[in-house]
Amino acid sequence: MTQSIVIRSLRLIEELEDVRRLEAKIWGEADSTPSHQTITAVKNGGLVLGAYDGERLVGFQYSFPGYNGKTSYLCSHMLGIDEEFRNKKIGEKLKIAQCEEAKKIGYPLITWTYDPLESINGYLNISKLGGVCSSYIKNCYGELEDPLNSKIPTDRFLVEWHIYQEHIPRRSSVHHLEQAVEMSLIQWKKNGDGLPVPLSAPLAGTESDKAIVAIPKNFRMIREASLKEAINWRLKTREIFTGLFQNGWQVTDFIKNDVKELPVQFYVLTKR
């Protein structure tokens, strides 16, 4: 039986070598981050957190200092969970602990990138944590060969998490969900297998005070079923998000739905 997960800050080379081994298990040995790099980051304003089930490391988060010419911030580079322990809210626990540790160090801001088509991450990063996004990076990491990224451009959102701003997580009402569905219908449709496919559509909802952008509820399922449709989703949403961001919009919320027959989730954007 799984014990309570404990999060702690890691500073010893032996602990960081365990992190390297877990990273290699998750993504592959070839590109794992050497422990001499992570320990150097920890000694110079960085942060490595470990999630433990008893004595076993089952998740980690690695950050290093960033500076944009005006503000110092914590750049959250990597978060990984052992496959056996996923979907147990360990990632959320790591992010909350990261926020607490960043405040102790003195950072006002944490940034990171993630795939905007991964709806689980969108819900956590935007709705639950309160991150915002107005930057879209095309093919951020180039061509990657790991199972999560192979053969698809590695487009990413750049999230800003202003950790001193109060955020109240919102659970969208049925009314908001119905409105999101209505506003996004020109963006997608179901195919014969019941999976959502993107349509060639203009920006949606920008005549009001918010815009809605639909993404697949399960992008990995689409990728496994049809690489062509997965790439289609990438390119269509890239066009929509870059257009919105260039016109002064930012992602400020995420509407999650638990309706089995509805195969999409929704980003909410507002004017900056």
Side-chain angles (χ1 to χ4, degrees):
M1 183 175 178
T2 302
Q3 303 176 33
S4 297
I5 299 297
V6 175
I7 310 295
R8 67 171 188 258
S9 184
L10 307 182
R11 296 182 175 277
L12 301 178
I13 190 67
E14 296 83 5
E15 297 172 324
L16 297 173
E17 185 60 19
D18 287 341
V19 169
R20 187 200 65 76
R21 283 191 284 265
L22 179 56
E23 179 189 344
K25 179 182 178 182
I26 297 171
W27 285 293
E29 185 73 33
D31 295 323
S32 60
T33 308
S35 52
H36 65 74
Q37 179 174 326
T38 51
I39 197 168
T40 301
V42 166
K43 290 179 178 180
N44 291 275
L47 181 66
V48 179
L49 297 171
Y52 286 85
D53 177 42
E55 296 299 315
R56 178 182 174 185
L57 180 71
V58 299
F60 72 94
Q61 194 289 313
Y62 166 45
S63 310
F64 53 81
Y67 182 66
N68 60 13
K70 297 180 180 179
T71 303
S72 296
Y73 55 91
L74 190 63
C75 181
S76 185
H77 179 58
M78 191 178 301
L79 189 152
I81 309 294
D82 193 312
E83 185 175 7
E84 182 183 339
F85 287 81
R86 290 173 192 166
N87 301 314
K88 299 181 184 295
K89 298 188 176 182
I90 296 175
E92 182 178 353
K93 291 179 180 180
L94 282 165
K95 294 302 291 185
I96 291 172
Q98 180 192 43
C99 176
E100 294 170 351
E101 292 298 319
K103 287 180 178 179
K104 292 177 184 178
I105 300 172
Y107 292 111
L109 172 68
I110 303 175
T111 70
W112 64 93
T113 61
Y114 79 94
D115 186 339
L117 294 180
E118 292 287 350
S119 64
I120 293 176
N121 294 336
Y123 178 56
L124 170 62
N125 295 335
I126 306 300
S127 180
K128 299 191 76 172
L129 298 178
V132 297
C133 175
S134 58
S135 297
Y136 190 100
I137 307 172
K138 299 178 183 178
N139 206 24
C140 180
Y141 300 112
E143 302 301 320
L144 299 179
E145 296 302 322
D146 65 87
L148 296 181
N149 297 285
S150 178
K151 299 180 181 179
I152 296 179
T154 55
D155 292 19
R156 296 294 185 264
F157 271 178
L158 176 62
V159 179
E160 295 184 354
W161 191 17
H162 299 274
I163 57 179
Y164 285 99
Q165 291 184 2
E166 183 180 4
H167 173 69
I168 302 175
R170 295 183 293 277
R171 179 67 173 175
S172 297
S173 67
V174 174
H175 170 72
H176 290 150
L177 178 58
E178 290 176 347
Q179 184 183 38
V181 173
E182 182 180 355
M183 292 175 68
S184 72
L185 283 178
I186 62 172
Q187 299 174 8
W188 65 279
K189 68 176 182 179
K190 284 186 181 181
N191 66 9
D193 297 319
L195 296 176
V197 294
L199 302 174
S200 296
L203 305 182
T206 53
E207 72 283 353
S208 64
D209 61 347
K210 66 181 177 183
I212 297 292
V213 179
I215 64 165
K217 183 182 288 185
N218 192 333
F219 182 60
R220 298 184 188 186
M221 182 185 297
I222 291 175
R223 185 174 53 209
E224 292 170 2
S226 171
L227 180 62
K228 177 182 177 181
E229 289 301 344
I231 294 174
N232 201 17
W233 268 110
R234 172 69 81 215
L235 298 181
K236 290 295 193 304
T237 53
R238 173 194 287 181
E239 179 183 1
I240 291 174
F241 282 122
T242 54
L244 285 167
F245 291 164
Q246 288 170 4
N247 284 283
W249 294 81
Q250 65 178 349
V251 171
T252 53
D253 200 4
F254 188 91
I255 298 177
K256 177 184 177 183
N257 88 80
D258 298 317
V259 180
K260 185 178 180 180
E261 295 77 16
L262 185 59
V264 292
Q265 314 274 32
F266 308 94
Y267 283 102
V268 180
L269 295 90
T270 55
K271 277 283 191 176
R272 291 197 299 273

